[in-house]
């Protein structure tokens, strides 16, 4: 077995045998589909389902009237309408679901559902929506401002007076789609014992269970979310799939039959939440010797029609609003705002890709104005060991590896030599540029959420081992990472270990598999469960070997004392003979974090990770086309559990960041999304990506029991600024807006 | 009507002729390796081989596949049940994450390597440009195809 690239699901996936939700069938299964309306913002007068109900093969048409439990739910504000009530809030609102014998018959009937509504003016611009007197999206909320976060540090106003240079810029970023290859699919099976089983690819089974139980008006224990493989998530398989599951479960409950709801790509893009588009006003004050003295920033995030996790996303933007730089005077105001646009929520990076684009652009603008080389400028200002962050947190409980990753990147990419080539034509019409960006990132949820996770190790009588954690396999290889950590920490062969198919009816609520927290939290819980397990095994082994407990160890699949040794399975067999279960429950509670909402000060995260990326590219002078030549990334990954999967997170994150920088945009007209499939929503293809080089800088994190840091998101948040800086270095064209498209007609002089 | 899938003959009622091939093999034959992801010939998740040519079968009707040799991911393994060398290369290179694009990716690479067993990495990228993957950034997929090419040169 090649340990370096081991995955427990590789065989199942490479043979196509793995069963995603859409591949699952039950006897007598019905098919449900969502029904949308043409409206963006409207007052519903009537939903007429009578014709649809009579249509061939239709078993039931379900609307809000059929909801036995709570129709409004959400992780923060309970404003999601699982079924539309008296209003349409955005074009993805579902007014009904049609349940029929086949999907085709359901589709046929769905055409017959008629929605009579009075059109209301749409609120589509978040800055307009924030103004007092604006029409309200949710009247009961009293304002369109979903949330506000602040940082109040020092006195920027005073500090600006003493600055030699003040820069004020506006940036904006676009709405983007996760584009997981697997659209939302839920299969719900009502069991004779009254429990409804839910099969769906998702990142947050426990939240999905809450959505579902609430809609059905049943206890949590009556819903079992069974883990199935996820065909890509990237933060996107949380609220929307939870809602799809809840609706499907209701259909199963009301019909008494298994029901599948399988989304088309068009429905998925229309309804599912997106990455927040940001408007950022950024003012930076500097001294002539290159010290950032003050930052004042206003950040406006379009939250769309429902809250989702907008307060958490924008909190990270707030905490990280100055990038990995020490700034003594900071005033930050961040707003999440309701509009009638598509809902926005969690997506890989979670409020950081927007801000890193802003900050790493500002850094280069400032350094050029001050005539200080940008790397030297970064080194003057960046966080170092024991630095104080803008939220007043001292970085003293882990290795601050900012300079390490920067230096690694400079060397690996040969940055300084290549920088000299910038603006030269390396091929006919192709001008060259190299660009760099760096960041730090708070690990896991931070003060935005309750952060703990469970693991269960159940050693069988023959010495084989079942492992389960509360972290969910999203495709990133979390189950494999947990197995590898268990084998390493317990000192046994990987072949002994099977990851138990997870279920919310077995493992305690461990939160969501987001925030790059999978390996940190699940690995942490696994390590702590190993500690418990060892206590149990050693207590038995010490009596069998007649030795003190502290003499015992497990390695190479054997249990050792000073003088004696026994195979692992022999000890386990002996334990069962003595009526001792080698079974352990482990918990990892993230170290304490603090936050003061008024001052925006506190220990925001229990640790940080550090990253730097470099991009080489050319810009075609005639066409404006950007071609990436090479990309490099160095991140402090902490102790790596599975090297090739860690590399996969690097490359995948960089590709997604490339799409964000150059290609992707969810385009809407009057609140209706036009880019509903992959013909118009363009994600990076193999030919869009350059060769990528990844460097793992491994400083085991003392705050993470397995030593791991999270890496899925850091790799995603730096490509846009690195590309922006490379384009600037190639052409002199500075972008303040994503995606970056060079309009040769307008910008010809820049390129000539 | 007869379909030949993975060297096995299937008798297909004529009434299925107008059904999309993806739906037919998934729903009726339980060959679920081909995925529905865009259903408009834009992503490659449903790619299979028809007479050794890569075809995205979400826009192919059952009747149009009649008489052609269809190879789906379920027919990729070696006769002894071990992984085909190309599949093994995907495993070894760490080319698999969520696995949703993997069947289409493997089959597309297979058709390509049969024609060009000595490709450059740039040629591999071109060959795979019709197959979308959101997880991997393609890097390790290209590594896998490159690793496997040696096998195609020898066989």
């Amino acid at each position: 077995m090649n340990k370096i690239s081991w995955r427990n699901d590789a065989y199942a996936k490479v043979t196509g045998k793995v069963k995603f939700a859409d591949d699952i069938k039950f006897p007598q299964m019905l098919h449900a589909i969502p029904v949308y309306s043409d409206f963006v913002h409207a007052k519903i007068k009537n939903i007429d389902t009578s014709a649809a109900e009579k249509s061939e093969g239709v078993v039931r048409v379900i609307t809000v009237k059929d909801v036995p439990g709570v129709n409004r739910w959400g992780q923060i504000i309970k404003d999601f309408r699982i079924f539309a009530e008296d209003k349409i809030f955005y074009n993805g609102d579902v007014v009904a679901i049609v349940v029929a014998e086949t999907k085709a018959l359901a589709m046929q009937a769905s055409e017959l559902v008629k929605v009579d509504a009075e059109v209301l003016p749409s609120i589509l611009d978040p800055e307009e929506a924030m103004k007092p007197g604006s029409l309200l999206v949710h009247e009961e909320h009293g304002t369109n401002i979903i949330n506000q976060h602040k940082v109040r540090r020092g006195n920027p106003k005073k500090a600006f007076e003493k600055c030699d240079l003040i820069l004020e810029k506006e940036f904006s970023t676009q709405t983007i789609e996760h584009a997981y290859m697997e659209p939302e699919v839920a299969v719900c099976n009502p069991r004779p014992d009254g429990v409804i089983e839910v099969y769906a690819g998702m990142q947050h089974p426990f939240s999905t269970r809450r959505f579902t139980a609430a809609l059905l008006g049943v206890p949590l224990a009556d819903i079992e979310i069974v883990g199935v493989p996820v065909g890509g998530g990237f933060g996107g398989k949380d609220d929307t799939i939870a809602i799809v599951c809840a609706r499907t479960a209701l259909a199963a409950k009301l019909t008494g039959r298994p029901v599948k709801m399988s989304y088309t790509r068009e429905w998925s893009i229309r309804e599912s939440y997106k990455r927040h588009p940001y408007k950022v006003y950024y003012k930076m004050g500097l001294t002539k010797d290159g010290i950032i003295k003050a930052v004042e920033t206003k950040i406006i995030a379009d939250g769309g029609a429902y809250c989702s996790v907008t307060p958490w996303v924008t909190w990270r933007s707030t905490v990280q609003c100055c990038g990995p730089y020490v700034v003594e005077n900071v005033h930050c105001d961040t707003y999440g705002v309701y509009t009638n646009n598509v809902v926005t929520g969690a997506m890989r990076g979670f409020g950081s890709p927007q801000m890193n684009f802003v900050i790493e652009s500002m850094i280069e603008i400032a350094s050029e104005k001050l005539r200080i080389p940008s790397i030297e400028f970064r080194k003057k200002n960046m966080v170092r060991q024991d630095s104080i962050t803008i939220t007043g947190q001292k970085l003293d409980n882990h290795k601050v590896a900012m300079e390490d990753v920067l230096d690694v990147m400079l060397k690996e990419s040969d940055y300084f030599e290549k920088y000299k080539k910038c603006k030269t034509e390396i091929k006919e019409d192709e001008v060259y540029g190299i660009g760099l960006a760096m960041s730090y990132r708070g690990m896991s949820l931070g003060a935005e959420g309750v952060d703990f996770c469970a693991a269960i190790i159940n050693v069988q009588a023959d010495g084989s081992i079942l492992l389960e954690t509360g972290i969910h396999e999203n495709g990133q290889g979390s189950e494999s990472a947990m197995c590898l950590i268990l084998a390493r920490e317990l000192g046994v062969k990987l072949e002994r270990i099977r990851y138990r198919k997870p279920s919310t009816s077995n493992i305690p609520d461990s939160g969501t598999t987001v925030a790059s927290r999978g390996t940190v939290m699940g690995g942490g819980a696994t390590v702590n469960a190993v500690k418990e397990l060892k206590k149990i095994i050693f207590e038995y082994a010490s009596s069998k070997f007649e030795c003190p407990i502290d003499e015992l160890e497990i390695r190479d699949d054997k249990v050792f004392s000073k003088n004696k040794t026994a195979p692992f399975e022999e000890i386990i067999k002996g334990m069962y003979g003595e009526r001792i279960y080698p079974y352990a429950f482990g918990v990892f509670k993230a170290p304490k974090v603090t936050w003061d909402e008024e001052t925006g000060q506190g220990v925001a995260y229990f640790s940080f990770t550090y990253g730097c990326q470099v991009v080489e590219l050319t810009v075609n002078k005639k066409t404006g086309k950007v071609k990436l030549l090479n990309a490099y990334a160095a991140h402090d990954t902490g102790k790596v559990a599975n090297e090739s999967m860690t590399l996969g997170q690097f490359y995948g994150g960089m590709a997604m960041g490339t799409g964000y920088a150059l290609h992707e945009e969810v385009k809407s007209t009057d609140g209706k999304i036009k880019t509903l499939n992959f013909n118009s929503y363009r994600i990076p293809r193999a030919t869009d990506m350059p060769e990528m080089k990844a460097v793992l800088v491994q400083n085991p994190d003392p705050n993470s029991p397995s030593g791991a840091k999270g890496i899925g998101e850091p790799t995603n948040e730096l490509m846009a600024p690195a590309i922006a800086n490379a384009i600037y270095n190639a052409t002199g064209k500075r972008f303040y807006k994503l995606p970056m498209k060079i309009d040769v007609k307008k910008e010809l002089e820049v390129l000539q | 009507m007869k379909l030949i899938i993975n060297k096995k003959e299937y008798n297909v009622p004529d009434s299925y002729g107008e059904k999309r091939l993806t739906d037919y093999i998934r729903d009726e034959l339980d060959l679920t390796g081909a995925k529905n992801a865009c259903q408009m010939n834009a992503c490659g998740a449903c790619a299979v081989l028809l007479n050794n040519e890569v075809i995205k079968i979400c826009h192919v009707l059952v009747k149009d596949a009649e008489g052609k040799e269809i190879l789906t991911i379920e027919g990729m393994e070696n006769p002894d049940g071990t992984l085909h060398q190309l599949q093994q290369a995907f495993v070894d290179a760490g080319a698999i994450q969520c696995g949703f694009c993997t069947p289409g990716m493997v089959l597309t690479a297979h058709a390509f390597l049969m024609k060009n067993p000595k490709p450059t990495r740039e040629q591999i990228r071109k060959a795979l440009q019709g197959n979308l993957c959101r997880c991997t950034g393609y890097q390790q997929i290209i590594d896998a195809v490159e690793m496997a090419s040696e096998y195609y040169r020898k066989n």
Side-chain angles (χ1 to χ4, degrees):
Chain A
M1 191 179 303
N2 182 354
K3 189 184 163 194
I4 297 297
S5 62
W6 184 75
R7 278 191 78 110
N8 65 340
D9 54 1
Y11 173 82
K13 286 179 172 175
V14 85
T15 56
K17 291 188 167 95
V18 66
K19 295 288 178 202
F20 292 93
D22 203 24
D23 306 330
I24 294 169
K25 266 187 196 174
F26 283 97
Q28 295 290 304
M29 188 170 77
L30 295 168
H31 296 264
I33 65 157
V35 184
Y36 302 97
S37 77
D38 284 337
F39 304 101
V40 172
H41 192 201
K43 203 170 159 52
I44 297 173
K45 290 181 185 159
N46 185 41
I47 301 169
D48 181 5
T49 59
S50 56
E53 276 159 25
K54 287 181 210 125
S55 185
E56 186 195 345
V58 171
V59 175
R60 184 102 192 212
V61 180
I62 299 168
T63 67
V64 67
K65 286 187 292 199
D66 303 300
V67 172
V70 182
N71 185 56
R72 295 185 193 184
W73 202 257
Q75 296 189 60
I76 302 172
I77 298 175
K78 293 183 173 36
D79 59 1
F80 271 118
R81 269 54 162 186
I82 311 298
F83 290 92
E85 296 171 9
D86 52 348
K87 263 188 182 181
I88 298 289
F89 292 101
Y90 81 117
N91 196 232
D93 266 330
V94 168
V95 294
I97 62 171
V98 175
V99 191
E101 296 292 343
T102 68
K103 190 173 180 182
L105 290 170
M107 301 275 272
Q108 191 180 302
S110 72
E111 304 287 327
L112 304 172
V113 175
K114 294 278 173 271
V115 182
D116 183 16
E118 177 196 333
V119 175
L120 298 169
S122 302
I123 306 155
L124 303 174
D125 177 351
E127 287 187 271
E128 288 298 317
M130 283 171 72
K131 288 180 183 160
S134 166
L135 194 65
L136 295 179
V137 177
H138 294 287
E139 275 161 21
E140 71 276 12
H141 190 69
T143 163
N144 285 327
I145 296 173
I146 302 170
N147 66 283
Q148 184 186 357
H149 296 301
K150 302 172 198 170
V151 173
R152 299 284 183 268
R153 183 162 185 81
N155 188 339
K157 275 209 167 50
K158 238 177 161 174
F160 282 128
E161 287 168 15
K162 291 184 194 153
C163 285
D164 301 309
L165 173 67
I166 291 173
L167 293 168
E168 281 187 80
K169 302 286 177 192
E170 286 176 38
F171 293 82
S172 64
T173 64
Q174 79 281 38
T175 308
I176 70 164
E177 157 69 26
H178 305 77
Y180 25 75
M181 293 311 295
E182 176 206 32
E184 289 77 2
V185 181
V187 181
C188 294
N189 179 40
R191 279 201 325 235
D193 66 355
V195 169
I196 293 182
E197 292 171 356
V198 178
Y199 300 80
M202 69 184 75
Q203 294 177 247
H204 199 346
F206 302 102
S207 174
T208 299
R209 187 172 62 158
R210 282 192 287 273
F211 269 90
T212 306
L215 189 77
L216 271 57
V218 300
L220 294 176
D222 287 11
I223 306 293
E224 178 171 4
I225 313 289
V226 184
V228 293
V230 183
F234 319 111
K237 291 259 173 80
D238 198 333
D239 283 340
T240 305
I241 186 63
I243 290 168
V244 172
C245 287
R247 292 184 194 129
T248 311
L250 179 58
K253 186 182 166 82
L254 294 177
T255 61
R257 287 169 65 179
V259 179
K260 177 186 280 188
M261 178 124 66
S262 171
Y263 266 39
T264 64
R265 179 64 55 189
E266 285 79 7
W267 298 339
S268 173
I269 293 186
R270 178 177 183 162
E271 186 181 339
S272 71
Y273 60 87
K274 308 284 182 272
R275 186 188 300 290
H276 293 75
Y278 271 38
K279 183 76 181 277
V280 179
Y281 298 90
Y282 211 87
K283 182 174 174 185
M284 184 184 263
L286 305 110
T287 60
K288 59 178 182 298
D289 55 345
I291 300 299
I292 307 169
K293 292 307 280 184
V295 165
E296 202 175 85
T297 180
K298 185 175 172 186
I299 303 166
I300 299 153
D302 183 350
Y306 298 117
C307 170
S308 184
V309 291
T310 293
W312 294 338
V313 170
T314 52
W315 181 73
R316 185 175 285 273
S317 311
T318 309
V319 174
Q320 295 177 188
C321 74
C322 291
Y325 304 101
V326 176
V327 187
E328 287 163 5
N329 302 284
V330 182
H331 189 129
C332 169
D333 286 300
T334 308
Y335 301 91
V337 185
Y338 282 126
T339 64
N340 296 116
N341 289 315
V342 65
V343 187
T344 50
M347 182 171 180
R348 190 179 202 171
F350 207 78
S352 70
Q354 297 95 330
M355 294 313 295
N356 291 325
F357 168 61
V358 171
I359 296 149
E360 288 299 290
S361 299
M362 288 298 291
I363 290 292
E364 299 238 336
I365 295 165
S367 64
E368 189 181 25
K369 287 258 184 221
L370 292 166
R371 297 174 190 282
I372 299 171
S374 65
I375 304 301
E376 187 186 325
F377 178 73
R378 283 186 171 90
K379 289 202 173 194
K380 276 175 188 273
N381 289 284
M382 71 190 181
V383 290
R384 294 170 183 280
Q385 202 65 45
D386 297 331
S387 285
I388 310 287
T389 70
I390 62 158
T391 74
Q393 178 171 354
K394 191 175 185 187
L395 300 175
D396 60 357
N397 67 348
H398 64 278
K399 168 93 193 296
V400 176
M402 194 69 262
E403 188 161 28
D404 304 27
V405 295
L406 172 59
D407 286 342
V408 165
M409 270 297 90
L410 295 171
K411 185 159 172 272
E412 196 63 49
S413 66
D414 198 13
Y415 183 85
F416 292 117
E417 272 310 304
K418 285 179 179 164
Y419 186 80
K420 294 175 193 161
K421 278 202 302 184
C422 285
K423 292 197 169 64
T424 61
E425 235 174 90
I426 59 167
K427 267 206 288 190
E428 198 187 343
D429 295 328
E430 303 278 336
V431 282
Y432 174 88
I434 186 168
L436 175 146
M438 64 186 212
S439 69
Y440 75 165
R441 182 179 183 86
M443 225 157 75
S444 200
L445 301 177
E448 90 197 28
V450 180
D451 207 358
F452 67 137
C453 179
I456 295 168
I457 306 172
N458 187 357
V459 187
Q460 307 299 300
D462 62 356
S464 60
I465 303 171
L466 289 167
L467 170 66
E468 182 178 4
T469 75
I471 288 302
H472 213 59
E473 175 64 61
N474 293 349
Q476 80 283 48
S478 76
E479 292 183 357
S480 311
M482 304 304 149
C483 291
L484 287 161
I485 289 170
L486 171 55
R488 181 182 86 198
E489 297 291 323
L490 186 57
V492 299
K493 282 191 301 198
L494 187 56
E495 287 83 344
R496 288 189 182 279
I497 304 166
R498 283 269 176 198
Y499 200 89
R500 185 187 186 280
K501 283 299 146 205
S503 151
T504 50
S505 295
N506 193 54
I507 193 90
D509 188 339
S510 299
T512 174
T513 303
V514 298
S516 306
R517 70 189 278 277
T519 312
V520 177
M521 298 305 297
T526 302
V527 169
N528 289 344
V530 168
K531 283 182 190 154
E532 293 302 315
L533 182 67
K534 277 186 175 170
K535 274 187 210 160
I536 303 166
I537 294 175
F538 288 168
E539 196 180 312
Y540 167 78
S542 75
S543 68
K544 186 172 161 68
F545 285 172
E546 293 168 331
C547 73
I549 283 176
D550 58 13
E551 219 179 73
L552 289 159
E553 60 169 329
I554 306 172
R555 64 183 146 83
D556 305 329
D557 226 32
K558 295 184 187 76
V559 181
F560 293 87
S561 70
K562 262 187 195 149
N563 321 313
K564 291 179 185 162
T565 175
F568 180 74
E569 64 272 19
E570 192 182 305
I571 296 291
I572 296 298
K573 193 179 166 199
M575 290 174 76
Y576 271 86
E578 296 290 327
R579 295 173 295 177
I580 304 162
Y581 284 122
Y583 176 99
F585 180 70
V587 180
F588 176 46
K589 296 181 195 175
K592 198 169 172 346
V593 286
T594 59
W595 188 251
D596 184 320
E597 275 293 342
E598 281 314 303
T599 61
Q601 297 292 292
V603 177
Y605 294 99
F606 67 82
S607 191
F608 284 79
T609 182
Y610 303 85
C612 182
Q613 294 184 0
V614 172
V615 170
E616 292 179 81
L617 52 73
T618 56
V619 179
N620 186 293
K621 283 166 44 175
K622 294 229 167 73
T623 63
K625 190 175 161 29
V626 175
K627 180 164 176 53
L628 304 189
L629 304 175
N630 286 294
Y632 309 83
H635 292 266
D636 185 354
T637 55
K639 189 170 180 177
V640 164
N642 196 359
E643 189 174 316
S644 84
M645 287 302 106
T646 307
L647 292 173
Q649 288 300 309
F650 274 65
Y651 304 137
M654 291 161 84
M656 198 172 271
T658 300
Y660 189 48
L662 296 174
H663 309 296
E664 295 177 34
E665 183 168 16
V666 174
K667 289 185 182 153
S668 299
T669 308
D670 302 325
K672 295 182 187 177
I673 295 175
K674 299 297 171 194
T675 48
L676 288 168
N677 208 326
F678 292 129
N679 60 336
S680 51
Y681 190 80
R682 190 185 182 289
I683 68 170
R685 297 176 177 278
T687 40
D688 294 319
M689 292 310 300
E691 291 298 324
M692 290 178 270
K693 168 89 189 177
V695 185
L696 313 179
V697 176
Q698 297 194 48
N699 293 306
D701 197 297
N703 307 288
S704 162
S706 75
K709 287 180 187 279
I711 204 62
E713 294 172 286
T715 56
N716 176 238
E717 66 188 20
L718 287 171
M719 281 303 267
I723 290 173
N725 290 336
I727 290 176
Y728 180 78
N729 291 336
T731 65
K733 164 76 183 167
R734 171 63 62 190
F735 278 92
Y736 296 92
K737 196 172 170 233
L738 294 180
M740 295 176 274
K741 302 245 185 248
I742 298 179
D743 184 336
V744 181
K745 273 184 200 138
K746 272 192 209 155
E747 285 148 10
L748 202 59
E749 74 282 3
V750 172
L751 296 167
Q752 293 300 325
Chain B
M1 201 173 11
K2 280 196 168 61
L3 286 182
I4 310 154
I5 306 175
N6 304 329
K7 302 205 163 79
K8 193 176 153 187
E9 258 190 36
Y10 292 85
N11 283 314
V12 184
D14 286 347
S15 57
Y16 286 114
E18 300 294 323
K19 218 171 152 71
R20 295 182 319 168
L21 191 52
T22 333
D23 293 340
Y24 180 72
I25 67 167
R26 286 178 53 82
D27 298 346
E28 305 302 326
L29 306 181
D30 288 326
L31 297 171
T32 55
K35 303 297 178 199
N36 276 321
C38 74
Q39 303 185 51
M40 65 176 313
N41 195 22
C43 77
C46 66
V48 306
L49 303 197
L50 260 64
N51 290 347
N52 289 335
E53 295 287 333
V54 180
I55 306 285
K56 295 165 187 169
I57 56 167
C58 64
H59 72 302
V60 172
L61 298 178
V62 171
K63 63 177 185 186
D64 296 330
E66 191 178 4
K68 290 179 181 150
E69 290 269 351
I70 302 171
L71 177 70
T72 72
I73 194 69
E74 288 85 355
M76 242 337 250
E77 282 161 84
N78 294 322
D80 65 355
T82 56
L83 290 182
H84 184 277
Q85 282 70 8
L86 176 59
Q87 290 174 306
Q88 191 59 53
F90 267 68
V91 175
D92 293 341
I96 302 160
Q97 286 192 37
C98 88
F100 206 76
C101 75
T102 307
M105 210 53 101
V106 168
L107 290 165
T108 305
H110 181 53
F112 169 67
L113 288 173
M114 283 193 287
K115 282 184 195 147
N116 183 357
K118 213 181 164 185
T120 64
R121 288 177 72 86
E122 204 49 44
Q123 287 168 332
I124 298 170
R125 285 184 189 280
K126 285 214 171 79
L128 298 179
Q129 69 177 343
N131 294 69
L132 297 179
C133 169
R134 192 57 153 171
C135 297
T136 64
Y138 307 99
Q139 180 87 12
Q140 286 157 303
I141 293 176
I142 291 155
D143 293 346
V145 178
E146 202 177 26
M147 276 164 65
S149 64
E150 196 190 333
Y151 168 79
Y152 287 82
R153 285 200 291 279
K154 286 182 184 159
N155 292 277

